[in-house]
Amino acid sequence: MPTYDEARTRVIELAQFAASRGWLPATSGNLSVRVSHTPLTFAITRSGADKARLRPEDVLLLDADMRVQGEGPYKPSAETTVHVALYQKFDCGSIVHVHTVYNNLASELYADRGFVEIRGHELVKALGHWEEDAVVRIPIVPNWADLKRLGWAVAEAAQADVPAVLVRAHGVYAWGDTPDDARRHLEAVEFLCEYAYKLHLARAGSPMIG
Amino acid sequence: MPTYDEARTRVIELAQFAASRGWLPATSGNLSVRVSHTPLTFAITRSGADKARLRPEDVLLLDADMRVQGEGPYKPSAETTVHVALYQKFDCGSIVHVHTVYNNLASELYADRGFVEIRGHELVKALGHWEEDAVVRIPIVPNWADLKRLGWAVAEAAQADVPAVLVRAHGVYAWGDTPDDARRHLEAVEFLCEYAYKLHLARAGSPMIG
Amino acid sequence: MPTYDEARTRVIELAQFAASRGWLPATSGNLSVRVSHTPLTFAITRSGADKARLRPEDVLLLDADMRVQGEGPYKPSAETTVHVALYQKFDCGSIVHVHTVYNNLASELYADRGFVEIRGHELVKALGHWEEDAVVRIPIVPNWADLKRLGWAVAEAAQADVPAVLVRAHGVYAWGDTPDDARRHLEAVEFLCEYAYKLHLARAGSPMIG
Amino acid sequence: MPTYDEARTRVIELAQFAASRGWLPATSGNLSVRVSHTPLTFAITRSGADKARLRPEDVLLLDADMRVQGEGPYKPSAETTVHVALYQKFDCGSIVHVHTVYNNLASELYADRGFVEIRGHELVKALGHWEEDAVVRIPIVPNWADLKRLGWAVAEAAQADVPAVLVRAHGVYAWGDTPDDARRHLEAVEFLCEYAYKLHLARAGSPMIG
């Protein structure tokens, strides 16, 4: 487990990476790194900060009830509920949530089906699937306005062997044992969502990859 | 209110941000920050400058009649009329105007309807709409050659609760209380225009998002 | 007129700009700045150099017969014929030639018609057309394998009031009085080619912009 | 032939270039530079490293049996089999393997045909084809799960006069006499795959370029 200071540095690094890709538009998105298990505490970006210009005080230390540990003027993002729900379900060490045009498009095109299915694509290895003919289904959940409900929905849909969940017309949550793992999973999901959309265009509506 | 010097620095920062995204092609676009209310004065990029390489003298201090305050060789952009009209209608502190392929495409695809409608998308929160099932309509106005008329048209179409107006086959005006607010609104509109176009392609002509 | 040293610096700056956009893939493209009128001499990138990593010795001083002025191991690009033909037809000070996916697509989609027509778009102002309802036609010429013939074809197609010519499935030549003008014209043409292609996709084959 | 130290530096430079384009997502891809012919040794990126943040110890010296020369904690990428097979077939000095959305799309759209055909396009010159009316076919091989088999398949499909092979829904291998040649070939193939896909969209399924 990292210390709070280490976790804060990791959060800022994750934010700079995701911002450099344009994945945190209009101060959206949030990123976190777990600090302790029992009780749960984690470092997470505050609400409303521009992630490309994050300062140390923009990263808060929270507990499972979303109470800020320590002093400061800032409040946590309302979507912190989803991070809590995922940290409570899985033994993961880091969670990233970003908004991109392609994950939004994939979540919308395959919303009725409830998942984006990736079949026969090399990059599922980056999501932990090395078996031949692996099929990966990334779940899509509705964009519940009630953020407690959104947290439950994401955690309920989340599968142990697929480290990401799409929220329809909103964005993606991806996670991993370490910040680097979460980042690798996110990069793979973004690649696959862009690929799924562009293959869909070329095939005039074929609903699945592969 | 910022001083003129502070406003000039904010204008240059906005320009560097927008230029880094490729949103100010071919010396197009203009960006401004309000300096005073009564009388109205504001700092704005001069005509013809390459916004990626802006020098302090490329930012002019103007009044409501577009007269340059102070000395210098440069004249204001002709489109300054739109900034004046918006500053006079709203109590906003900053206005950004950029040309992008996606805001141009959205303005053209939905020109007959007169607006781009965003329904059921998370990023309308970045435009200030936090209500459930929010529907946001970004107005589209014709690209009047007479720039006084363009200023009136943009200001007339502008709604208090939707901080942006598209000009057909031209670009977007977005504004906010502060330069950061204007930038956040611009980022959200650009994301939504790209999303609207790409969803339109996938759905073979479905005219609306959501 | 710049000196050779100044022209060389301008060529390197143009190359760094175009390379940063990805417009000079696989060591393609060439860029030049005029040094004298009578006789014609100009500074131009050598054949085969990676334009993102240009050194001063990669920029040659040539005359109208493509003879290298001064000593050095490098030879000029074979496409220098096109620069000579354009410098001899027009009184321009700089020429840029780049390969991009979008100018290639536009040149291919509208090859039979022989031009890309831009109608009712704001960015034709960046090409020098400020009149209301301006219509700009960017000529497309075949990609002649004989580079002397290509030079003649580009110069013959080139119009005094449209500072660019597309070569089919190859790239674009754009020019201007100064390196900044050539760059502005290039940026505008690239924007318009991308816009033309993407509008074409959305309209399922409507052949013209506007 | 470069020394191991020189080859390691070249590998890191290649990785930084490809990572800066986003061509090595989610720690995917691998890049190598030959150090000796008889016996074959080469420097190659290790398995799992983030190529944008490569350290010298992330580049291994291997022989034809994929044994690591020297000490260290890291193992070679399993796909090193493909590098060995190509170095044994050709006298090339460098091999690059990347995953991109466009090379994946081209490999999928033209999988049944077994190649991407480029006809009448200027950029085939960057692949070494200067003859008029050159036609270049980039082979596509299945993405064999058995990596020895994949290596044989890539080497068997590889043609002496076309320095790249696509692996379906996986990525591309490109090579050259020097690291700069391999990079130029890769840039040309990526450009052509993006162009092939986007022209395919515009032509609603026309299977070939040109």
Side-chain angles (χ1 to χ4, degrees):
Chain A
M1 286 290 100
T3 65
Y4 173 36
D5 276 355
E6 291 166 349
R8 189 158 56 178
T9 301
R10 295 291 94 74
V11 166
I12 291 175
E13 289 169 353
L14 281 173
Q16 286 169 339
F17 161 73
S20 75
R21 301 293 179 96
W23 292 351
L24 299 165
T27 80
S28 71
N30 36 68
L31 310 104
S32 72
V33 171
R34 190 197 290 262
V35 173
S36 65
H37 273 91
T38 315
L40 169 63
T41 61
F42 56 99
I44 188 166
T45 47
R46 72 167 174 91
S47 179
D50 182 334
K51 305 304 182 301
R53 297 178 287 177
L54 222 53
R55 302 156 303 163
E57 59 265 39
D58 295 322
V59 181
L60 310 178
L61 182 65
L62 299 190
D63 67 14
D65 296 316
M66 294 177 51
R67 284 179 303 224
V68 179
Q69 311 296 297
E71 297 184 354
Y74 296 122
K75 60 174 189 171
S77 166
E79 290 171 324
T80 301
T81 51
V82 185
H83 293 250
V84 170
L86 285 169
Y87 280 129
Q88 288 179 332
K89 175 164 184 176
F90 293 123
D91 190 28
C92 60
S94 181
I95 302 170
V96 289
H97 168 51
V98 306
H99 299 56
T100 73
V101 168
Y102 290 114
N103 71 37
N104 281 206
L105 288 163
S107 77
E108 189 69 24
L109 290 178
Y110 304 115
D112 291 344
R113 199 171 292 256
F115 52 83
V116 176
E117 186 175 290
I118 315 293
R119 186 184 287 274
H121 195 283
E122 177 70 12
L123 219 58
V124 299
K125 288 181 183 170
L127 298 174
H129 288 264
W130 293 76
E131 69 274 18
E132 199 172 342
D133 299 322
V135 178
V136 170
R137 291 183 169 181
I138 304 170
I140 303 168
V141 301
N143 187 22
W144 299 112
D146 176 336
L147 292 171
K148 286 222 167 187
R149 187 170 181 182
L150 181 63
W152 298 329
V154 169
E156 191 188 350
Q159 304 296 314
D161 64 348
V162 180
V165 170
L166 291 161
V167 183
R168 181 176 180 177
H170 177 159
V172 72
Y173 285 86
W175 57 90
D177 288 348
T178 67
D180 277 354
D181 291 335
R183 171 178 159 168
R184 188 180 69 252
H185 296 156
L186 176 63
E187 286 189 72
V189 169
E190 291 301 326
F191 184 101
L192 291 166
C193 285
E194 181 180 348
Y195 180 68
Y197 167 76
K198 289 182 174 171
L199 193 59
H200 176 95
L201 281 191
R203 292 192 166 155
S206 164
M208 294 287 109
I209 299 187
Chain B
M1 286 288 101
T3 64
Y4 173 36
D5 275 355
E6 290 166 348
R8 189 158 56 178
T9 301
R10 294 293 92 74
V11 166
I12 291 175
E13 289 169 353
L14 281 172
Q16 286 168 339
F17 161 72
S20 74
R21 301 293 179 95
W23 292 351
L24 299 166
T27 79
S28 71
N30 36 67
L31 310 105
S32 72
V33 171
R34 190 196 291 260
V35 173
S36 65
H37 272 91
T38 315
L40 169 64
T41 61
F42 56 99
I44 189 166
T45 48
R46 73 167 173 91
S47 180
D50 182 334
K51 306 304 183 301
R53 298 178 287 178
L54 223 54
R55 301 156 303 163
E57 59 265 38
D58 295 322
V59 182
L60 310 177
L61 181 65
L62 298 189
D63 67 15
D65 296 316
M66 294 176 49
R67 284 179 303 225
V68 180
Q69 312 295 297
E71 297 184 354
Y74 296 122
K75 60 174 189 170
S77 165
E79 289 172 324
T80 301
T81 51
V82 185
H83 293 250
V84 170
L86 285 169
Y87 281 129
Q88 288 179 332
K89 175 164 185 177
F90 293 125
D91 190 30
C92 59
S94 181
I95 301 170
V96 290
H97 168 50
V98 305
H99 300 57
T100 72
V101 168
Y102 290 115
N103 70 38
N104 281 206
L105 288 164
S107 77
E108 190 67 25
L109 290 178
Y110 304 115
D112 291 344
R113 198 172 291 256
F115 52 82
V116 176
E117 185 175 291
I118 315 294
R119 186 185 287 275
H121 195 284
E122 177 69 12
L123 219 58
V124 298
K125 288 182 182 169
L127 298 174
H129 288 263
W130 292 77
E131 68 273 20
E132 200 171 343
D133 299 322
V135 178
V136 170
R137 292 182 168 181
I138 304 171
I140 303 168
V141 301
N143 187 22
W144 299 112
D146 176 336
L147 292 170
K148 285 223 168 186
R149 187 168 181 183
L150 181 63
W152 298 330
V154 170
E156 191 188 350
Q159 305 296 316
D161 64 348
V162 180
V165 169
L166 291 161
V167 182
R168 182 175 179 178
H170 177 157
V172 72
Y173 286 86
W175 56 90
D177 288 348
T178 67
D180 277 354
D181 291 336
R183 171 178 161 168
R184 187 179 69 250
H185 295 157
L186 176 63
E187 286 190 72
V189 168
E190 290 301 326
F191 184 102
L192 292 166
C193 284
E194 181 180 348
Y195 179 69
Y197 168 76
K198 289 182 174 171
L199 192 59
H200 176 95
L201 282 191
R203 292 191 166 156
S206 165
M208 294 287 111
I209 300 186
Chain C
M1 288 287 102
T3 65
Y4 173 36
D5 276 354
E6 290 165 349
R8 191 158 55 180
T9 300
R10 293 294 92 75
V11 166
I12 292 175
E13 289 169 353
L14 281 172
Q16 287 168 338
F17 161 73
S20 74
R21 301 294 179 94
W23 292 351
L24 299 165
T27 80
S28 70
N30 35 68
L31 310 105
S32 72
V33 171
R34 190 196 289 261
V35 174
S36 65
H37 272 91
T38 316
L40 169 64
T41 61
F42 56 98
I44 188 166
T45 48
R46 72 167 174 91
S47 179
D50 182 335
K51 306 304 184 300
R53 297 178 288 176
L54 223 52
R55 301 156 304 161
E57 59 265 39
D58 295 322
V59 181
L60 310 178
L61 181 65
L62 298 190
D63 66 16
D65 295 316
M66 293 176 50
R67 285 180 302 227
V68 179
Q69 311 296 297
E71 297 183 356
Y74 297 121
K75 60 173 190 173
S77 166
E79 290 171 324
T80 301
T81 50
V82 186
H83 292 250
V84 170
L86 285 169
Y87 280 129
Q88 288 179 331
K89 176 164 183 176
F90 293 124
D91 190 30
C92 61
S94 180
I95 302 171
V96 290
H97 168 51
V98 305
H99 299 57
T100 73
V101 168
Y102 291 114
N103 71 38
N104 282 207
L105 288 163
S107 78
E108 190 67 25
L109 290 178
Y110 304 115
D112 291 343
R113 198 172 293 256
F115 52 83
V116 176
E117 186 175 291
I118 314 294
R119 187 185 286 276
H121 195 285
E122 177 69 11
L123 219 58
V124 298
K125 288 181 183 170
L127 298 175
H129 287 263
W130 292 77
E131 70 273 18
E132 199 170 344
D133 298 323
V135 178
V136 170
R137 291 182 168 181
I138 304 170
I140 303 168
V141 301
N143 186 24
W144 300 110
D146 177 334
L147 292 171
K148 287 223 168 185
R149 188 170 181 182
L150 181 63
W152 299 329
V154 169
E156 191 188 348
Q159 305 296 315
D161 64 348
V162 180
V165 170
L166 291 161
V167 183
R168 182 175 178 178
H170 177 157
V172 73
Y173 286 86
W175 55 90
D177 288 348
T178 67
D180 277 355
D181 290 337
R183 170 178 161 169
R184 187 179 70 250
H185 296 157
L186 177 63
E187 286 188 73
V189 168
E190 290 302 326
F191 184 102
L192 291 166
C193 285
E194 180 179 348
Y195 180 68
Y197 168 76
K198 289 182 175 171
L199 192 59
H200 176 95
L201 282 191
R203 291 190 167 157
S206 164
M208 294 286 110
I209 301 186
Chain D
M1 287 288 101
T3 65
Y4 173 36
D5 276 355
E6 290 165 350
R8 190 159 54 180
T9 301
R10 294 294 92 75
V11 166
I12 292 175
E13 289 168 352
L14 281 173
Q16 287 168 339
F17 161 73
S20 74
R21 301 293 179 95
W23 292 351
L24 299 165
T27 80
S28 71
N30 35 69
L31 309 105
S32 72
V33 171
R34 190 196 288 263
V35 173
S36 65
H37 272 92
T38 315
L40 169 64
T41 62
F42 56 99
I44 188 166
T45 48
R46 72 167 174 91
S47 180
D50 182 334
K51 305 305 183 300
R53 296 178 289 176
L54 222 53
R55 301 157 303 162
E57 59 265 38
D58 295 321
V59 181
L60 310 177
L61 182 65
L62 298 190
D63 66 15
D65 295 316
M66 294 177 49
R67 284 178 304 226
V68 179
Q69 311 296 296
E71 296 184 356
Y74 296 122
K75 60 172 189 174
S77 165
E79 290 172 325
T80 301
T81 52
V82 185
H83 293 250
V84 169
L86 285 169
Y87 280 129
Q88 288 178 331
K89 176 164 184 176
F90 293 124
D91 190 30
C92 60
S94 181
I95 302 170
V96 290
H97 169 51
V98 305
H99 299 56
T100 72
V101 169
Y102 291 114
N103 72 37
N104 281 206
L105 288 164
S107 77
E108 190 68 25
L109 290 178
Y110 304 115
D112 291 344
R113 198 171 293 255
F115 51 83
V116 176
E117 186 175 290
I118 315 293
R119 186 185 287 275
H121 196 284
E122 177 69 12
L123 219 58
V124 297
K125 289 181 183 171
L127 298 174
H129 288 264
W130 292 76
E131 68 274 19
E132 200 172 341
D133 298 324
V135 178
V136 171
R137 291 181 168 182
I138 305 170
I140 303 167
V141 302
N143 187 23
W144 299 112
D146 176 335
L147 291 171
K148 286 223 168 186
R149 188 170 183 183
L150 181 63
W152 299 329
V154 169
E156 192 189 349
Q159 305 297 314
D161 64 348
V162 180
V165 170
L166 291 161
V167 183
R168 182 175 177 177
H170 177 159
V172 72
Y173 286 87
W175 56 90
D177 288 348
T178 67
D180 277 354
D181 291 337
R183 171 178 160 168
R184 187 179 69 251
H185 296 156
L186 177 63
E187 286 189 72
V189 168
E190 290 302 326
F191 184 101
L192 291 166
C193 285
E194 181 180 348
Y195 179 68
Y197 168 76
K198 288 182 175 171
L199 192 60
H200 176 95
L201 281 191
R203 291 190 167 156
S206 164
M208 294 286 110
I209 300 186

